[in-house]
Amino acid sequence: MVKFTYYGHACFLLENDHCKILTDPFLTGNPLAAIAPDIVEADYILLSHAHSDHLGDAPEIAKRTEATVVGIPEVLAVCTERMDDIKTHPMNIGGSCKTSFGKLRMTLAIHSSGVAGGIACGYVIKIDGMHIYFAGDTALFQGMQVIGQKESIDYAVLPIGDNYTMGLEDAALAAQWLNTRNVIPIHYNTWPIIEQDVDKYKELTERLTRATVHIVKPGESLRLA
């Protein structure tokens, strides 16, 4: 059984009996952070890009926990400039790798990267027989249809905050294109500029798609099945 725990913004933890996978650990300075960076645990840290509200505390958490940080090479270089003795695994768009929990595939995201030469990305995470799509910060793009065709997406973790990423309508269409069974919305309400009515998103998405939308507040967990 995989448990999803939301720590706020784009940071969440996926864990089973053997592994903990942390995403975009922006905890210091995050007004909605549900855990402190000095106690969060991780075996892997997945980075979508190098903006400070995503790369966050990744190098320091990796140093303390001995987690492997996964990301685009230019993004990982930002991490190793801060902590030069951490474990990293560089990837690029379209690549995949086997892991202790299953498999990772790096996907395209349409967004700026926060570092020269870098690009933003997302991930399809295969764990315990499920495919979980972490979109990262992204606009709606037609490649989401390919992602949904290549793997049967069980859970899509999608940004809905608008202004910097997809808003409600585009994120609902993303769920449709992905043909996902479930959606977990993230990246909203951290600041006024990305405030959104998540209940409206749930109603819109469930009306337009086959997906069930799970609203998980910071600090809450959801068992994935």
Side-chain angles (χ1 to χ4, degrees):
M1 181 72 73
V2 179
K3 183 170 75 170
F4 173 100
T5 301
Y6 188 35
Y7 292 140
H9 205 54
C11 181
F12 61 87
L13 183 74
L14 293 174
E15 60 181 316
N16 61 12
D17 292 337
H18 311 292
C19 192
K20 293 179 172 64
I21 307 159
L22 186 69
T23 68
D24 286 358
F26 167 51
L27 300 173
T28 300
N30 179 353
L32 299 183
I35 196 167
D38 58 348
I39 62 172
V40 70
E41 293 297 329
D43 298 300
Y44 292 86
I45 301 172
L46 309 185
L47 293 179
S48 65
H49 61 294
H51 287 155
S52 60
D53 62 325
H54 291 264
L55 188 145
D57 301 288
E60 291 76 18
I61 295 169
K63 172 72 172 179
R64 177 177 57 81
T65 64
E66 299 185 348
T68 298
V69 187
V70 182
I72 293 284
E74 292 84 354
V75 173
L76 295 181
V78 177
C79 293
T80 55
E81 286 173 5
R82 277 169 46 183
M83 292 284 174
D84 62 5
D85 55 351
I86 58 175
K87 293 186 287 185
T88 61
H89 183 95
M91 297 183 68
N92 221 309
I93 304 299
S96 62
C97 68
K98 293 182 179 180
T99 65
S100 63
F101 58 80
K103 188 176 180 180
L104 272 179
R105 186 163 70 87
M106 184 177 277
T107 62
L108 181 67
I110 306 299
H111 192 72
S112 56
S113 72
V115 61
I119 52 177
C121 70
Y123 298 89
V124 176
I125 304 158
K126 185 175 183 181
I127 181 171
D128 287 5
M130 288 190 294
H131 290 93
I132 301 164
Y133 172 49
F134 168 43
D137 274 16
T138 189
L140 178 71
F141 62 99
Q142 282 194 310
M144 289 178 175
Q145 294 174 308
V146 177
I147 293 170
Q149 291 168 357
K150 186 174 176 63
E151 281 114 357
S152 179
I153 303 298
D154 296 290
Y155 286 83
V157 185
L158 303 178
I160 67 166
D162 213 351
N163 196 76
Y164 297 113
T165 69
M166 298 185 291
L168 303 188
E169 293 80 8
D170 280 3
L173 187 54
Q176 184 182 75
W177 285 358
L178 291 161
N179 196 30
T180 180
R181 293 194 301 114
N182 300 275
V183 176
I184 302 173
I186 63 169
H187 203 277
Y188 66 98
N189 290 358
T190 313
W191 302 288
I193 198 168
I194 57 170
E195 284 184 359
Q196 291 294 333
D197 183 344
V198 70
D199 293 313
K200 180 179 178 182
Y201 175 70
K202 177 178 174 68
E203 187 278 328
L204 177 63
T205 302
E206 292 184 345
R207 176 163 50 85
L208 294 177
T209 76
R210 70 170 186 147
T212 299
V213 175
H214 304 270
I215 299 172
V216 185
K217 297 178 181 178
E220 293 183 344
S221 297
L222 177 70
R223 296 282 180 179
L224 307 188

